[in-house]
Amino acid sequence: LQSLLDEMKVAVVTMNQYGQRFQLVFTRLLLQCTVNLMGLGQAKGNDQDPTVLTGDVSNEEEALTTGRKQQNVTLQLVVMLYRMWLAYYFRRYRQAAEWAITRRNLTNERPGMLLRSGGIVHETLYTGLIAAEIARTGDSDEWRAVLIESMESLRRWADLTPWNYSHKLLLLTAELARVDGEDERAADAYDEAIATAKRHRFVHEQALACERAAMFSIERGNRITAKTYFEEAKALYAEWGAHAKVVDVMDQVSQLGI
């Protein structure tokens, strides 16, 4: 994340110099998202909530208002995608589900906008992950169907480009097995997702798979295994540069007393 942060700071300066206002708004949103993950600075007016895209770099309400006034659906979708993504990462699952629903409703009103927004992969993966979490804790039938839909898309993409998508599909496979109470299948799929993400060098999704496996292990009463997964997740988030997630994992370990 540090190299991404440095590149975006340079890009923001260049865009300002050349008056590229349209792209500047999008870049600032991604920059704020990165700042939040890295735990840098205090977001203004939200008690350092890492899921909110308002701070020294960007203002999400201004971006959403601009998007609505200019009928710029892509800008609205990008804000919603980042909010959904961050809410899931920081375990605000109901909030993430609300953003997912709002985003899907908007794309249904504008057929094809999901693809043009450039966020189709993250939209698909994280909508599936959110659906799995909500299906596991309630509203199972409707959200399970959303999870299956995400898996079908990722399966098609994984057939074409396994390097980019196979670990994502494996993670959703683990989550579906968890929803369905197939514990052994879920455990195997989590380990496969972790190993594949590692082999394909997707450190952030390897970290996420470890964290999810840890939560699953806690549910099964296996605290020793959970601690191992949490430690691995913490190290991987640190490697990625997401220090706010390192703190979040440490908080989970502390709360669980493991």
Side-chain angles (χ1 to χ4, degrees), residues 82-150:
Y82 291 159
R83 283 300 313 267
M84 180 183 82
W85 189 49
L86 289 170
Y88 181 81
Y89 256 103
F90 289 98
R91 300 179 289 127
R92 317 284 177 82
Y93 299 122
R94 287 291 172 181
Q95 182 186 107
E98 291 171 5
W99 283 110
I101 291 168
T102 302
R103 198 172 192 275
R104 284 168 69 88
N105 290 341
L106 185 57
T107 57
N108 289 337
E109 294 171 8
R110 305 287 196 281
M113 283 308 303
L114 173 60
L115 181 61
R116 289 201 294 273
S117 76
I120 187 169
V121 175
H122 285 96
E123 162 82 7
T124 301
L125 173 61
Y126 286 93
T127 297
L129 289 168
I130 292 163
E133 184 64 27
I134 303 302
R136 195 175 57 79
T137 57
D139 305 324
S140 58
D141 291 342
E142 179 182 353
W143 283 99
R144 188 181 186 280
V146 173
L147 170 57
I148 294 296
E149 179 185 332
S150 293

Side-chain angles (χ1 to χ4, degrees), residues 144-159:
R144 188 181 186 280
V146 173
L147 170 57
I148 294 296
E149 179 185 332
S150 293
M151 291 180 67
E152 289 173 350
S153 295
L154 281 168
R155 186 172 288 110
R156 291 194 299 271
W157 302 335
D159 286 342

Side-chain angles (χ1 to χ4, degrees), residues 70-83:
Q70 298 179 356
Q71 296 186 330
N72 187 336
V73 179
T74 300
L75 178 56
Q76 296 175 64
L77 289 174
V78 167
V79 174
M80 294 172 188
L81 176 61
Y82 291 159
R83 283 300 313 267

Side-chain angles (χ1 to χ4, degrees), residues 9-239:
K9 286 181 177 179
V10 173
V12 165
V13 172
T14 303
M15 289 174 187
N16 268 318
Q17 289 176 343
Y18 289 95
Q20 296 178 336
R21 303 300 179 194
F22 182 77
Q23 291 300 329
L24 183 60
V25 174
F26 291 92
T27 304
R28 285 188 179 279
L29 287 167
L30 180 56
L31 182 55
Q32 186 67 57
C33 184
T34 306
V35 165
N36 289 6
L37 282 166
M38 296 179 72
L40 302 175
Q42 180 176 359
K44 294 179 179 177
N46 57 37
D47 297 325
Q48 295 182 303
D49 184 344
T51 71
V52 176
L53 294 168
T54 299
D56 293 334
V57 178
S58 183
N59 186 305
E60 69 176 50
E61 286 302 323
E62 289 181 4
L64 283 171
T65 299
T66 298
R68 295 186 187 108
K69 285 182 178 179
Q70 298 179 356
Q71 296 186 330
N72 187 336
V73 179
T74 300
L75 178 56
Q76 296 175 64
L77 289 174
V78 167
V79 174
M80 294 172 188
L81 176 61
Y82 291 159
R83 283 300 313 267
M84 180 183 82
W85 189 49
L86 289 170
Y88 181 81
Y89 256 103
F90 289 98
R91 300 179 289 127
R92 317 284 177 82
Y93 299 122
R94 287 291 172 181
Q95 182 186 107
E98 291 171 5
W99 283 110
I101 291 168
T102 302
R103 198 172 192 275
R104 284 168 69 88
N105 290 341
L106 185 57
T107 57
N108 289 337
E109 294 171 8
R110 305 287 196 281
M113 283 308 303
L114 173 60
L115 181 61
R116 289 201 294 273
S117 76
I120 187 169
V121 175
H122 285 96
E123 162 82 7
T124 301
L125 173 61
Y126 286 93
T127 297
L129 289 168
I130 292 163
E133 184 64 27
I134 303 302
R136 195 175 57 79
T137 57
D139 305 324
S140 58
D141 291 342
E142 179 182 353
W143 283 99
R144 188 181 186 280
V146 173
L147 170 57
I148 294 296
E149 179 185 332
S150 293
M151 291 180 67
E152 289 173 350
S153 295
L154 281 168
R155 186 172 288 110
R156 291 194 299 271
W157 302 335
D159 286 342
L160 296 171
T161 314
W163 188 276
N164 289 337
Y165 303 115
S166 59
H167 65 282
K168 295 176 174 67
L169 177 59
L170 284 165
L171 180 55
L172 289 189
T173 299
E175 294 289 334
L176 176 61
R178 187 176 172 187
V179 169
D180 292 342
E182 299 177 4
D183 286 0
E184 293 304 319
R185 182 165 171 256
D188 289 343
Y190 278 125
D191 285 340
E192 286 185 60
I194 292 165
T196 306
K198 179 179 181 179
R199 187 165 61 250
H200 294 174
R201 301 194 295 276
F202 284 83
V203 64
H204 61 302
E205 287 167 349
Q206 183 187 355
L208 179 60
C210 287
E211 184 180 9
R212 296 301 298 177
M215 294 175 179
F216 171 65
S217 298
I218 286 292
E219 286 182 2
R220 300 179 78 194
N222 196 333
R223 296 167 65 84
I224 294 175
T225 301
K227 184 175 182 179
T228 300
Y229 280 126
F230 273 131
E231 288 298 325
E232 188 173 355
K234 184 176 72 172
L236 289 164
Y237 281 129
E239 180 182 346

